[in-house]
Amino acid sequence: MNAEFRETVWARHSNPKSGWSRLAGGFVIVAALYHRKWRLMALTILFLAINPVLFREPSEESDDWMYKVVRAEERWTNDGNRLIGLGYPQILNTVSIPVGLYGLCAAYKQKPISTVVFSLVSQALNQWCMKEIIDYYEKVDSH
């Protein structure tokens, strides 16, 4: 992916509507799997795949949480850091993966409490990681 295209994707993805709808989309996938709504699940996966380019680039910086998440994620990866790993805060994302997969398995087995708990914990771990990355750049930028 060339640099200009990558910047365009990040810029459009920084629209808070992109981030919030991706977050919601993850929960729609879990619900679709739980209720055996295969078409809904397929359409949601397609939506998530094209989501980062669906929305217009915001006209200005925003204090919206998802705007900050995407811009921090962009800086983090551009600085050569990985989002998954054993260091902190990447370990939070790393742990969120098997937790989320267990939530999907629970949804498939139609175990409502496990589905909800593991799906929420997975998302909480991911958002905690993002918060730490945002905090890191806010601290770096303030010096």
Side-chain angles (χ1 to χ4, degrees):
M1 186 177 348
N2 73 35
E4 185 178 326
F5 178 73
R6 188 171 44 245
E7 176 52 37
T8 299
V9 171
W10 279 114
R12 293 182 77 144
H13 185 40
S14 72
N15 185 319
K17 293 175 186 173
S18 176
W20 289 117
S21 62
R22 282 179 65 85
L23 181 75
F27 292 112
V28 170
I29 287 175
V30 172
L33 181 60
Y34 184 91
H35 293 288
R36 310 296 195 259
K37 303 288 184 182
W38 308 119
R39 189 173 186 184
L40 175 61
M41 190 164 80
L43 289 172
T44 304
I45 290 168
L46 175 63
F47 169 76
L48 292 176
I50 62 173
N51 173 286
V53 295
L54 284 179
F55 300 92
R56 292 183 182 186
E57 177 179 355
S59 57
E60 58 188 39
E61 287 191 21
S62 171
D63 281 336
D64 187 276
W65 171 256
M66 280 299 172
Y67 177 85
K68 289 180 179 182
V69 164
V70 172
R71 287 306 186 178
E73 198 175 27
E74 176 187 17
R75 281 184 70 184
W76 186 260
T77 57
N78 285 345
D79 287 351
N81 299 302
R82 294 178 179 254
L83 293 169
I84 296 172
L86 299 179
Y88 188 80
Q90 302 96 319
I91 191 69
L92 299 167
N93 253 353
T94 304
V95 172
S96 79
I97 295 168
V99 171
L101 289 173
Y102 187 84
L104 289 172
C105 288
Y108 183 76
K109 292 178 181 179
Q110 295 181 313
K111 295 181 174 185
I113 294 172
S114 294
T115 298
V116 170
V117 168
F118 283 88
S119 297
L120 288 174
V121 168
S122 176
Q123 195 52 243
L125 287 166
N126 172 265
Q127 293 302 303
W128 182 7
C129 178
M130 294 301 108
K131 179 198 175 303
E132 293 298 318
I133 292 172
I134 290 168
D135 289 350
Y136 170 81
Y137 282 114
E138 287 178 346
K139 187 174 180 181
V140 166
D141 291 345
S142 70
H143 288 102

